[in-house]
Amino acid sequence: MPPRIRSLTLPGWRDPERVFLALGAAAERVAWLDAGPDATEGRSILAIGAGDDRTVTANRDDAPDDVYASLREPLADGAVDAREHRDAPSPVGWIGWFAYEFGARTLGLPAAPTTTPEAAFLFAERVVVFDHALGRVRLEWLEGADAAGERAAGDATPGETWARETAEAIAHLPATAPGTHDAVLEDELPPEASVPPAVRWRHDAAEYERMIADCREAIARGDAYQLCLTNRVDVDVEVDPVQAYRRLRRSSPTHHGAFLRLAGVALLSASPEQFLEVGTDGTVSTRPMKGTRPRSADPERDEALRAELLASEKERAENLMIVDLMRNDLARVAEVGGVAVPSLLAVEEYPHVHQLVSTVTARLRHPLTALDAVRAAFPAGSMTGAPKESAMRILHALEGGPRGVYSGAFGRIGVDGSADLAMVIRTIVVAPGAVSIGTGGGITTLSHPAEEVEETRLKARALLAVLGGRADGL
C-alpha cells in the first residue's frame, strides 16, 4: 500500500514569518519557501528537519546519476492524496537546491570545484502550508502503510502526533488578518551594522569588460549566440542568516523568496524567476527572465524605463534566444507537438527592477516525471546562454571560479508528481566563514560593456544593502 498524504486545516491565520521564527529559525535543517510579506496569492511552505529525516547531499565526488537515483527512490511509488482539500499540489517531498556545477557535471562538462554542496535536499514528510489566497493555514504530512495498524490499536500515528503538537504551538501565536504583515515583527529586527563591510568582486570592472569583449569575440566566431556572464561578490561580514533574510524579504519582496538552511549552508533568496513548475497532471512551465532595467521613484521616468526595456532590440533578442533554448530542452521530455509559448516578452515589475519575461509550456511524455524535466532543462538556459553546452564551456574558461549555488535552482519536488523550482538569483549564500552573492547578465553582439557592468551592480545592490555593503566597489 502506498503512503498517504493527510492534512489538517487550522483555525485562523498566522503570519508565516512569525511561525518560522517560533518553530524553525533555530533548526539545523529548515526550508521556508516564501511568497512574500504581503502576499495575497500563492503559498508559503515551512518544513523543519527532524533527526531521522532523509537527506541527499552531493559534492564533486558524487555521480549525478546516483544523486538523481537517490531523489527518485521515495517518489517512485507515489502517494494517495487523502487531504481534506486538494486545491493545490502537496508540498510533501524533497525541498532543497541544485548548484550550477552539478548541472555542468550532469552534462559531462568541465566544472570548477565548489566549497558548498552541489546539491542539498531534505525530504519533508511534514510541512506547514500557508495559502495566501484562501487565508488558510494547513498542516500536511505523509503516513506510511503501517499507520492504519497504529490507529487500530488506539494509538496516534507519528504524523498525527506531530500535527497535534504543531497545531498547539501555532495556536499560541498572535493571529493576524490574511494579506497583512505582523507589524510587531518590525520592532524586533536588530539595528543594521554601523560600519560597512569590505566587499570584494572576483572580477573588477576593467577585467569584466575584457571578459565581455571575449564573449563578443566568441559570438562573432559562431561559438555561441548569447552568453550569460557572471561575477561573484564576497562580503567580509559576520551575518545572522535569519535576520538577514528578514531584511531581504522586506526590501525585495517576491513570489519565490526562500530561506533554506541545509548541509551547513544558508540560502537567502529574493528570486523573481521561476525555473520549472510541474503539475500533478504532467503539465510543465518555465518562465525565462532575460532583460533588465532599474526602477525609478519618479512615475514618468519609471514608465520610460519600462518602455525602453520593451523596445530594446538587444534585450528582446536575448530573451528570444533563451525561449528557443528552453523550447528545445522541454521538447526532449514533452509529448510530440506539446511545447507552446503562451506569453512572449512581457514586462514584470519588482521593487528594484523591470524584467522581460516569457513563458514556455509543455506536457510530460509518459512515463517521465518532474525529475526528468529537471534533468532535461538544468542548468536553465537563462543562466548559461545558447547553445547551452558550448556556452557553458566558454563561460567555464572565462569566469575563473565556481558559481556554486548561484545560478542553480531551488524549490520542491513532491511525492504527488508536482514540482516548483526557482532560479538561484538575487540570492545571498551564507557558508561557514563565507558570505557571497552572484550577479551577471546576458551578453550578445549588441551588449555595451559599461551598461553590462552597471547591470551587475544593479542586481547586487539590494542584496549588499541587506548586508550593510555597497555595490560601488566594482
Side-chain angles (χ1 to χ4, degrees):
M1 179 184 298
R4 298 167 63 85
I5 305 170
R6 297 188 60 206
S7 68
L8 173 67
T9 300
L10 306 184
W13 176 258
R14 301 296 187 277
D15 189 302
E17 182 179 0
R18 178 68 74 188
V19 178
F20 165 73
L21 291 172
L23 303 185
E28 181 180 341
R29 289 173 292 166
V30 60
W32 175 19
L33 303 179
D34 178 17
D38 299 311
T40 57
E41 59 184 12
R43 299 184 300 169
S44 295
I45 295 159
L46 177 62
I48 303 164
D52 57 350
D53 284 341
R54 284 175 284 191
T55 60
V56 168
T57 303
N59 294 297
R60 187 177 181 84
D61 295 333
D62 296 304
D65 285 348
D66 293 341
V67 176
Y68 277 110
S70 296
L71 293 172
R72 286 184 195 280
E73 188 204 350
L75 308 178
D77 295 331
V80 175
D81 195 341
R83 295 179 295 165
E84 298 172 345
H85 303 279
R86 304 181 189 180
D87 46 1
S90 175
V92 171
W94 294 109
I95 302 179
W97 72 71
F98 294 105
Y100 176 83
E101 282 74 22
F102 178 80
R105 292 198 304 111
T106 301
L107 294 172
L109 300 176
T114 63
T115 56
T116 52
E118 289 192 0
F121 281 87
L122 165 71
F123 191 71
E125 295 192 20
R126 300 163 186 172
V127 297
V128 185
V129 182
F130 303 85
D131 189 320
H132 295 278
L134 298 176
R136 179 184 296 157
V137 182
R138 188 164 62 241
L139 308 181
E140 297 189 14
W141 67 96
L142 194 65
E143 282 191 347
D146 57 349
E150 294 174 348
R151 188 177 296 104
D155 297 328
T157 67
E160 289 169 338
T161 299
W162 167 82
R164 183 186 70 250
E165 293 174 351
T166 303
E168 290 174 355
I170 291 175
H172 285 93
L173 301 176
T176 57
T180 60
H181 189 55
D182 188 342
V184 177
L185 294 168
E186 306 300 328
D187 299 329
E188 297 177 355
L189 270 172
E192 296 182 8
S194 57
V195 179
V199 174
R200 293 173 287 108
W201 295 74
R202 177 179 283 166
H203 307 289
D204 65 20
E207 185 177 1
Y208 198 74
E209 289 194 11
R210 286 194 296 272
M211 292 161 63
I212 293 169
D214 289 340
C215 287
R216 293 177 68 181
E217 288 179 8
I219 293 169
R221 290 194 305 268
D223 296 336
Y225 305 115
Q226 186 240 42
L227 293 161
C228 183
L229 184 66
T230 73
N231 206 348
R232 173 172 165 143
V233 191
D234 290 294
V235 187
D236 295 333
V237 63
E238 292 286 336
V239 62
D240 179 334
V242 170
Q243 303 304 342
Y245 180 66
R246 294 178 68 199
R247 294 190 192 285
L248 179 62
R249 73 191 297 263
R250 284 161 175 73
S251 65
S252 303
T254 182
H255 44 72
H256 274 85
F259 179 95
L260 302 180
R261 182 160 50 205
L262 301 169
V265 175
L267 180 151
L268 327 177
S269 185
S271 177
E273 182 174 358
Q274 185 179 72
F275 168 46
L276 280 181
E277 183 175 24
V278 183
T280 55
D281 60 353
T283 56
V284 184
S285 67
T286 182
R287 302 181 71 247
M289 185 175 284
K290 274 297 171 190
T292 306
R293 287 294 184 277
R295 299 297 305 271
S296 172
D298 175 63
E300 290 188 7
R301 175 60 179 157
D302 193 59
E303 180 57 33
L305 287 165
R306 183 185 187 280
E308 177 186 300
L309 172 61
L310 193 57
S312 169
E313 181 183 353
K314 182 261 183 185
E315 306 285 23
R316 291 171 68 90
E318 188 179 341
N319 193 290
L320 289 170
M321 282 186 274
I322 301 308
V323 166
D324 193 47
L325 189 157
M326 296 305 295
R327 288 174 63 244
N328 290 336
D329 281 350
L330 292 185
R332 296 164 54 196
V333 293
E335 293 178 349
V336 176
V339 180
V341 183
S343 175
L344 187 65
L345 303 175
V347 178
E348 293 185 358
E349 280 79 30
Y350 294 89
H352 303 285
V353 293
H354 297 283
Q355 297 278 189
L356 200 58
V357 186
S358 297
T359 303
V360 183
T361 62
R363 183 178 290 276
L364 284 174
R365 193 169 63 247
H366 181 78
L368 300 181
T369 68
L371 274 175
D372 294 304
V374 172
R375 184 159 189 164
F378 186 73
S382 61
M383 297 308 298
T384 63
K388 182 182 288 187
E389 294 192 14
S390 177
M392 291 176 69
R393 289 182 187 277
I394 294 167
L395 294 166
H396 172 74
L398 287 177
E399 291 182 348
R403 296 185 180 185
V405 184
Y406 168 67
S407 76
F410 72 87
R412 63 169 193 84
I413 304 168
V415 295
D416 61 359
S418 67
D420 189 0
L421 297 131
M423 298 304 308
V424 184
I425 58 174
R426 317 295 200 273
T427 297
I428 301 167
V429 178
V430 183
V435 179
S436 65
I437 294 165
T439 184
I443 309 301
T444 71
T445 55
L446 300 176
S447 292
H448 188 285
E451 292 176 359
E452 295 295 341
V453 169
E454 180 56 31
E455 182 174 330
T456 64
R457 288 193 183 108
L458 171 65
K459 291 174 177 176
R461 188 168 291 131
L463 303 170
L464 287 168
V466 165
L467 301 172
R470 295 188 295 269
D472 54 6
L474 178 56

